[in-house]
């Protein structure tokens, strides 16, 4: 494990295996960062949160409570207190990050993805079949999130 730059790990938090915490990131409370996970930028991981696998938490993201971020998830924007929702379709993992979807290294609001997924896919070398598959997933995620929002009132 590596902690470098201005990063801090304190309280009962632990960073282990090949995990890295860098920049101005903070890991504290009872949080665990392990595997090949990375926490960077101004991100905070705290409470009983877990970041593991190849997951990345960066920029100004906040992961807390009992949230779990794992696999190929990449969190950049939102505050997460529950497990992070990801969809793996082969080429890149889709991470639901608040009102954003992070696909590969591209992060856009869901509304942008719905309108521009074909152009973004073409620019990034996706096949027509991959573009359609990701488009269907983006629309499905949007429908589920809108339904959940409607239930909450």
């Amino acid at each position: 494990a590596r902690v470098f730059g201005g990063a801090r790990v304190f309280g009962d938090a632990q960073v282990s295996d090949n995990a890295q915490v860098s920049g101005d990131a903070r890991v504290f409370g009872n949080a665990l960062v392990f595997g090949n996970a990375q926490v960077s930028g101004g991100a905070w991981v705290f409470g009983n949160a877990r970041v593991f696998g190849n997951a990345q938490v960066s920029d100004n993201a906040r992961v807390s409570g009992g949230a779990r971020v794992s696999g190929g998830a990449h969190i950049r924007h939102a505050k997460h207190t529950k497990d992070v929702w990801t969809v793996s379709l082969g080429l890149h993992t889709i991470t639901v990050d608040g009102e954003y979807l992070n696909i590969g290294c591209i992060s856009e609001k869901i509304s942008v993805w719905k309108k521009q997924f074909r152009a973004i896919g073409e620019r990034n070398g996706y096949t027509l079949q991959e573009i359609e598959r990701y488009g269907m997933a983006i629309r499905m995620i949007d429908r589920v999130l809108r339904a959940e929002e409607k239930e909450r009132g």
Side-chain angles (χ1 to χ4, degrees):
R2 281 188 69 202
V3 178
F4 57 99
R8 292 187 54 209
V9 177
F10 54 98
D12 291 326
Q14 296 179 26
V15 178
S16 62
D17 302 325
N18 293 317
Q20 296 184 5
V21 180
S22 63
D24 291 321
R26 303 289 184 259
V27 178
F28 57 98
N30 293 311
L32 298 178
V33 179
F34 58 97
N36 293 311
Q38 297 178 12
V39 179
S40 62
W44 290 9
V45 177
F46 58 102
N48 291 312
R50 306 289 184 258
V51 180
F52 57 98
N54 292 313
Q56 298 177 32
V57 178
S58 63
D59 300 334
N60 293 312
R62 301 291 184 260
V63 178
S64 64
R68 305 289 185 265
V69 182
S70 63
H74 190 168
I75 301 300
R76 294 181 175 178
H77 303 282
K79 296 177 182 176
H80 296 274
T81 57
K82 298 184 288 186
D83 290 355
V84 172
W85 187 20
T86 61
V87 178
S88 295
L89 296 174
L91 203 55
H92 294 107
T93 298
I94 300 173
T95 304
V96 180
D97 189 8
E99 64 183 316
Y100 289 83
L101 293 182
N102 304 328
I103 303 175
C105 62
I106 300 171
S107 181
E108 295 288 354
K109 289 186 175 184
I110 295 170
S111 59
V112 172
W113 277 112
K114 283 173 51 183
K115 293 175 188 169
Q116 298 181 11
F117 73 90
R118 283 184 182 86
I120 293 170
E122 288 171 2
R123 278 196 310 270
N124 288 279
Y126 284 62
T127 67
L128 182 58
Q129 183 181 20
E130 290 167 335
I131 290 169
E132 291 307 315
R133 187 179 326 134
Y134 278 83
M136 289 186 330
I138 290 164
R139 289 187 296 274
M140 182 265 311
I141 290 166
D142 181 55
R143 281 192 305 272
V144 169
L145 292 177
R146 282 190 288 130
E148 287 178 353
E149 189 175 296
K150 190 174 180 180
E151 281 181 15
R152 286 191 298 268

